[in-house]
Amino acid sequence: MSSLKLNGCVTSAESVLISMQSLEEFYKILEQKTYTTTVISISPQSRASLAAKYQLTPIQVHKRLTYFFKHILGIHHVFDTAFTQDLSLVESAREFMDRFKFYMANGGEEIEKVAQQQQQEEGPSVRSRRGGGAKAKKIEGMPMLASSCPGWVCYAEKTHGEILPYISTTKSPQQMMGSLVKNYLANKTNTSANQIYHVTVMPCYDKKLEASRPDFQIDDIRDVDCVLTTSEIDQMLQSHDFLQMPEAPVEDMFNKVGVDPETSQETVFGVPGSSSGGSLEYIMATAARELFGASTDHVTMKVGKNADVCEYSLMSDDGRPLLRFASAYGFRNIQNLVRKIKQGKCIYHYVEVMACPGGCANGGGQIIPVNVNAKEWLNQVESIYRSAKGIWPEENEMIKTIYNEWIGDDMAKRQLLLHTQYHAVTQSFQNPLATKW
């Protein structure tokens, strides 16, 4: 259940940044009481991995982690990045629709005719295997590629700089939470951002590099100070009896938790879609509604050459594809995607790209069980992740309130706090895929 690392060889500078985000460094910060406020934000993928190991529900894991962090380690706030997942999805959908409108107004109709003709004649999968098909002119920014996987982003920066304009500029849920904590929370609690120590719990080691990017700091203050993986948190729990640990109440702020109307039980909430965050499903549903007045009842799905490639088409009443989305997980599938984009033969409007086969539930920082079938384990983690009741971001009233209060109509602030940029990096590595953690 290993994760394929696409970010290239880790440089000496990156190694230093990674070493600053270790358990030892985390404990040292807590012991020295360097900061007045400490915050931990937990990813739903990490929560699902811990729930699978300890045979607990996600809400039980979240409450016990809240107790562990607050009452044993002295952390001040425990948040849930499923909350900023909503914020990231809303912003990604808005960005996609802006790009799609620009695309259609600047030659997209011509490309659509070519793509539809190809699909009618032999289908995209067949055409791709043969390498044939007409080549339409490329329009920068389309297809839009997901940006929430740092392994994929680092790989693109180090090896395919010409692909960077296609990657969504919307920040990942981790970095969205960083902006919320260091800006919104700091202002609400009258605390200086440099006095807040923000830690995230993630399924992926590459999230440590993401948090270290200069783009994710303002006035030399990082949005996320330290990233700990699921397996590192599990290592911390070894000296405690997690199964017998009390459950602490969940904070109201920045937690996607509530009462399930069907069971009347408190539960964590997620979003419909894959364990990689549901961006494909949400963006397609939003674009279908806003751009075409359609629902996803008219979406067809086709599995590619392997389970980590899927194609989704929103069909018109007369059988024409209005939107073409895809998912591409794992290095080989990403290579194929990049090659098609460079050749001007990619017919998709949006692609959910993830470095790890199986997506974020299979991240390299997740718990690796002993003597358990890897595929069965991943299915179990996926099932637990999906057990969280899926609600769309627009149903999250707190997201609306915070967005209106925090960002409002200030476009410059929206760009600064919710978006980022990418940089082509020139490297001279003999083996750019030899990353070892």
Side-chain angles (χ1 to χ4, degrees), residues 319-358:
R320 292 181 298 107
L322 301 173
L323 291 173
R324 293 179 299 277
F325 281 34
S327 58
Y329 295 176
F331 175 59
R332 290 187 179 181
N333 295 323
I334 290 176
Q335 276 188 317
N336 291 334
L337 171 67
V338 169
R339 182 169 57 251
K340 284 195 284 186
I341 292 175
K342 287 183 176 181
Q343 294 173 347
K345 295 180 179 179
C346 180
I347 65 169
Y348 306 123
H349 300 121
Y350 178 85
V351 186
E352 185 178 87
V353 187
M354 296 291 154
C356 295

Side-chain angles (χ1 to χ4, degrees), residues 232-280:
E232 287 175 307
I233 295 300
D234 190 45
Q235 182 181 335
M236 296 171 64
L237 296 174
Q238 296 307 305
S239 56
H240 304 270
D241 190 345
F242 194 58
L243 288 175
Q244 297 301 318
M245 191 169 290
E247 296 180 359
V250 178
E251 293 184 62
D252 291 334
M253 186 179 287
F254 307 159
N255 276 293
K256 198 172 177 182
V257 175
V259 176
D260 186 340
E262 295 180 4
T263 64
S264 299
Q265 299 294 315
E266 189 174 22
T267 183
V268 295
F269 291 115
V271 291
S274 74
S275 62
S276 295
S279 62
L280 185 152

Side-chain angles (χ1 to χ4, degrees), residues 119 280 284 295-303 310-316 319 321 323-325:
Q119 283 191 307
L280 185 152
M284 175 165 265
S295 73
T296 51
D297 292 340
H298 297 87
V299 171
T300 63
M301 192 269 279
K302 179 180 178 181
V303 178
C310 289
E311 301 174 352
Y312 303 80
S313 298
L314 175 70
M315 308 303 291
S316 66
L323 291 173
R324 293 179 299 277
F325 281 34

Side-chain angles (χ1 to χ4, degrees), residues 92 143-149 152-153 166-170 276 279-280 283 337 350-354 422:
S92 294
M144 188 171 100
L145 308 176
S147 60
S148 57
C149 173
W152 144 243
V153 170
Y166 298 95
I167 301 177
S168 167
T169 63
T170 300
S276 295
S279 62
L280 185 152
I283 294 173
L337 171 67
Y350 178 85
V351 186
E352 185 178 87
V353 187
M354 296 291 154
Y422 308 106

Side-chain angles (χ1 to χ4, degrees), residues 39-273:
V39 176
I40 284 193
S41 302
I42 306 167
S43 73
Q45 294 87 358
S46 295
R47 192 169 54 206
S49 187
L50 288 163
K53 174 176 178 177
Y54 292 99
Q55 298 184 355
L56 298 169
T57 65
I59 188 65
Q60 288 175 318
V61 169
H62 196 78
K63 286 185 170 185
R64 293 177 197 211
L65 286 177
T66 299
Y67 180 90
F68 174 72
F69 289 131
K70 282 190 169 185
H71 298 281
I72 296 180
L73 298 186
I75 303 296
H76 297 92
H77 300 286
V78 179
F79 299 141
D80 175 7
T81 61
F83 184 86
T84 43
Q85 186 171 276
D86 281 1
L87 187 56
S88 183
L89 288 175
V90 169
E91 203 62 27
S92 294
R94 182 179 298 183
E95 180 186 357
F96 173 78
M97 289 188 290
D98 288 344
R99 289 196 188 204
F100 187 83
K101 291 173 184 176
F102 178 85
Y103 160 77
M104 292 300 290
N106 290 273
E109 291 186 6
E110 174 192 342
I111 297 176
E112 289 304 295
K113 290 178 182 178
V114 173
Q116 288 169 20
Q117 182 180 1
Q118 290 172 346
Q119 283 191 307
Q120 290 171 357
E121 291 176 353
E122 52 186 2
S125 297
V126 176
R127 178 189 58 78
S128 299
R129 287 198 296 271
R130 294 180 180 176
K135 180 176 179 179
K137 70 174 183 177
K138 290 189 287 187
I139 297 178
E140 187 171 286
M142 189 62 62
M144 188 171 100
L145 308 176
S147 60
S148 57
C149 173
W152 144 243
V153 170
C154 281
Y155 168 69
E157 287 185 320
K158 290 183 177 181
T159 59
H160 299 290
E162 62 271 46
I163 296 296
L164 300 183
Y166 298 95
I167 301 177
S168 167
T169 63
T170 300
K171 288 183 180 180
S172 70
Q174 169 176 279
Q175 298 308 138
M176 286 273 191
M177 184 62 82
S179 295
L180 267 181
V181 167
K182 292 298 182 79
N183 187 274
Y184 181 83
L185 179 68
N187 291 333
K188 291 288 285 187
T189 59
N190 197 28
T191 305
S192 174
N194 63 8
Q195 283 300 306
I196 299 176
Y197 185 64
H198 183 207
V199 182
T200 61
V201 180
M202 290 286 143
C204 172
Y205 281 98
D206 287 334
K207 285 291 182 181
K208 295 175 186 278
L209 290 178
E210 179 182 68
S212 303
R213 292 174 67 92
D215 304 283
F216 296 138
Q217 59 184 35
I218 299 177
D219 297 330
D220 295 324
I221 301 172
R222 294 212 315 234
D223 294 334
V224 177
D225 299 289
C226 178
V227 177
L228 298 177
T229 63
T230 315
S231 56
E232 287 175 307
I233 295 300
D234 190 45
Q235 182 181 335
M236 296 171 64
L237 296 174
Q238 296 307 305
S239 56
H240 304 270
D241 190 345
F242 194 58
L243 288 175
Q244 297 301 318
M245 191 169 290
E247 296 180 359
V250 178
E251 293 184 62
D252 291 334
M253 186 179 287
F254 307 159
N255 276 293
K256 198 172 177 182
V257 175
V259 176
D260 186 340
E262 295 180 4
T263 64
S264 299
Q265 299 294 315
E266 189 174 22
T267 183
V268 295
F269 291 115
V271 291

